[in-house]
Amino acid sequence: TQLLEQSPQFLSIQEGENLTVYCNSSSVFSSLQWYRQEPGEGPVLLVTVVTGGEVKKLKRLTFQFGDARKDSSLHITAAQPGDTGLYLCAAYSNYQLIWGAGTKLIIKP
Amino acid sequence: NAGVTQTPKFQVLKTGQSMTLQCAQDMNHEYMSWYRQDPGMGLRLIHYSVGAGITDQGEVPNGYNVSRSTTEDFPLRLLSAAPSQTSVYFCASSYSRQGYTGELFFGEGSRLTVL
């Protein structure tokens, strides 16, 4: 069974701090996606990374795909309360998405 | 823009009852799927469809049935509800016929409690 392990499971920080969350696996993936889910809603795609070593930026969010395409990280600079949510990583394998359990992020004002 | 619409948003069932969760999308997506989300376990695929008339099992299909008679609709049926099926259910669709390259668009979820 292929697994995507996300860490930490829970993170609570003050507004303005920086943070990094991780998505790791022992398997190689053709692509990896990050979604954000807010309470009472479905996940929404933030980014897809495809190439090993790829870095994508979305305002204060920086996503990186590992060189070996086995892992990814999400770095948030100067976190804001609007960044609060559940961050899920997902990777395609055998034409289906495998999901991590998520990192629950709370940004306190 | 409606996107993916799920009904009902909340439902309470007694053990053994049956019900159908409805899912409709207006984006002409070929790929549709049902997930359940439980605390600490992420999203688990129940069933999926790559087009009208085609369905297949996902990771946790037992206790659930699906059909895909039209491109727009993909209902999920619980034939005899069990407490283990208490969960939040999400319907998702994608442009890609095989769903393996594109963005998944999710509904708002249906919270089901089985007593």
Side-chain angles (χ1 to χ4, degrees):
Chain A
T1 302
Q2 294 171 310
L3 294 174
L4 279 175
E5 297 185 356
Q6 292 190 243
S7 61
Q9 290 184 322
F10 179 80
L11 185 59
S12 179
I13 63 172
Q14 292 293 138
E15 180 177 2
E17 294 184 12
N18 301 332
L19 67 107
T20 302
V21 297
Y22 301 92
C23 175
N24 296 310
S25 176
S26 58
S27 301
V28 176
F29 297 106
S30 57
S31 65
L32 188 143
Q33 298 180 328
W34 285 92
Y35 288 77
R36 180 169 64 205
Q37 183 179 17
E38 298 186 16
E41 298 183 7
V44 176
L45 180 68
L46 294 174
V47 75
T48 300
V49 286
V50 178
T51 306
E54 182 176 4
V55 176
K56 283 191 173 180
K57 293 190 175 183
L58 185 64
K59 297 183 180 178
R60 293 174 293 98
L61 279 61
T62 301
F63 303 85
Q64 184 163 9
F65 200 14
D67 291 341
R69 291 185 286 127
K70 292 182 179 181
D71 51 74
S72 181
S73 63
L74 159 59
H75 181 80
I76 301 179
T77 303
Q80 298 179 2
D83 296 326
T84 292
L86 178 67
Y87 288 80
L88 296 160
C89 66
Y92 280 102
S93 178
N94 293 327
Y95 311 126
Q96 296 295 342
L97 270 179
I98 300 170
W99 293 85
T103 293
K104 187 172 183 179
L105 177 63
I106 295 177
I107 309 300
K108 295 176 285 188
Chain B
N1 293 335
V4 179
T5 302
Q6 290 183 234
T7 56
K9 296 197 75 170
F10 300 94
Q11 183 72 50
V12 178
L13 291 177
K14 294 181 179 179
T15 297
Q17 287 185 318
S18 63
M19 77 156 300
T20 299
L21 299 177
Q22 302 291 344
C23 176
Q25 52 91 9
D26 62 358
M27 297 173 283
N28 201 32
H29 287 174
E30 292 194 72
Y31 181 88
M32 296 186 73
S33 56
W34 276 102
Y35 285 91
R36 59 177 292 172
Q37 185 175 38
D38 302 291
M41 300 187 72
L43 289 161
R44 293 185 291 169
L45 183 65
I46 304 171
H47 285 285
Y48 66 97
S49 168
V50 297
I54 307 170
T55 63
D56 207 345
Q57 297 180 349
E59 179 185 357
V60 289
N62 293 340
Y64 308 95
N65 281 348
V66 292
S67 60
R68 184 93 179 271
S69 57
T70 67
T71 299
E72 295 77 21
D73 300 300
F74 191 45
L76 178 72
R77 282 182 286 276
L78 285 72
L79 298 180
S80 179
S84 61
Q85 293 178 304
T86 293
S87 186
V88 181
Y89 292 84
F90 287 97
C91 180
S93 69
S94 172
Y95 288 114
S96 169
R97 181 176 176 84
Q98 295 190 4
Y100 65 93
T101 59
E103 173 182 3
L104 275 181
F105 293 83
F106 285 82
E108 293 186 335
S110 299
R111 183 176 295 274
L112 175 66
T113 302
V114 183
L115 302 175

